[in-house]
Amino acid sequence: MAEETIFSKIIRHEIPSDIVYQDDMVTAFRDISPKAKVHILIIPNKVIPSVNEIEEEDEKVIGHLFTVARKVAQMEGIAQDGYRLIFNCGKNGGQEVPHLHMHLLGGEQLRGFGF
Ligand code: 5GP
C-alpha cells in the first residue's frame, strides 16, 4: 500500500483544515497557501501517490474528482466565470505532496501557467 501523507490526516479530520466537501470517495479542502482567490484541493480518499500510479480500477474515483470540481466551483460561485484544474505530477511537474490532488483555481482572471 502507498505511504500516507499529511493529506490522509486531513481526510480523517486528524489535523485542522477547511474542508468544503467530503464523501466516501473524495475530499475537497482549501489550500493552505492559496495561489488564487479560490484555491481548493480535491483528492481521492484512497492514497494514489500521483498520476503515474493511477490504475484502471481508479477510473471511477478519478472521474468523480471532476464531478466534485464542478459542484465545488458552483458552491464557490466561480463556475460561470471559469476556473482552472491542475494536476502536478512528480519532480518536474512541481508535485510536493505525493497524494494525488486536483488544484481548483479561480475567483479571478488567471494568467499563464506561472503556478
Ligand atoms: P503540489 O505542489 O504537490 O501540486 O501541491 C500541494 C499543495 O498542497 C500546495 O499548494 C500546498 O500549499 C498545499 N498544502 C501542503 N500542505 C498542506 C496542508 O497541510 N494543508 C493544506 N490545506 N494544504 C496544504
Side-chain angles (χ1 to χ4, degrees), residues 70-83:
R70 191 248 302 155
K71 284 183 186 163
V72 171
Q74 284 168 342
M75 282 160 47
E76 293 290 315
I78 63 171
Q80 186 76 19
D81 286 342
Y83 47 90

Side-chain angles (χ1 to χ4, degrees), residues 35-37 82-84 86 105-115:
K35 310 295 189 300
K37 278 186 185 156
Y83 47 90
R84 184 173 293 165
I86 298 175
L105 296 145
E108 62 185 303
Q109 181 65 56
L110 303 173
R111 300 189 191 282
F113 287 95
F115 174 66

Side-chain angles (χ1 to χ4, degrees), residues 6-7 10 15-17 29-33 35 39 41 88 94-97 101 103 115:
I6 196 158
F7 286 0
I10 289 175
I15 59 165
S17 72
F29 54 97
R30 291 188 200 284
D31 197 292
I32 204 166
S33 176
K35 310 295 189 300
H39 187 174
L41 301 174
N88 294 325
Q95 183 181 4
E96 288 170 8
V97 180
H101 47 280
H103 294 263
F115 174 66

Side-chain angles (χ1 to χ4, degrees), residues 38-58:
V38 175
H39 187 174
I40 290 168
L41 301 174
I42 308 171
I43 68 176
N45 294 341
K46 168 189 174 183
V47 182
I48 302 170
S50 79
V51 171
N52 279 340
E53 286 78 29
I54 293 174
E55 305 281 355
E56 281 177 15
E57 67 186 33
D58 299 322

Side-chain angles (χ1 to χ4, degrees), residues 5 9-11 14 16 21 25 27 35 37 39 44 49 51 56-58 60 70 81 85 89 99-100 106-107 114-115:
T5 70
K9 291 187 165 53
I10 289 175
I11 291 164
E14 289 171 5
Y21 177 90
M25 275 198 281
T27 301
K35 310 295 189 300
K37 278 186 185 156
H39 187 174
V51 171
E56 281 177 15
E57 67 186 33
D58 299 322
K60 192 171 176 195
R70 191 248 302 155
D81 286 342
L85 302 174
C89 180
H99 183 134
L100 184 80
F115 174 66

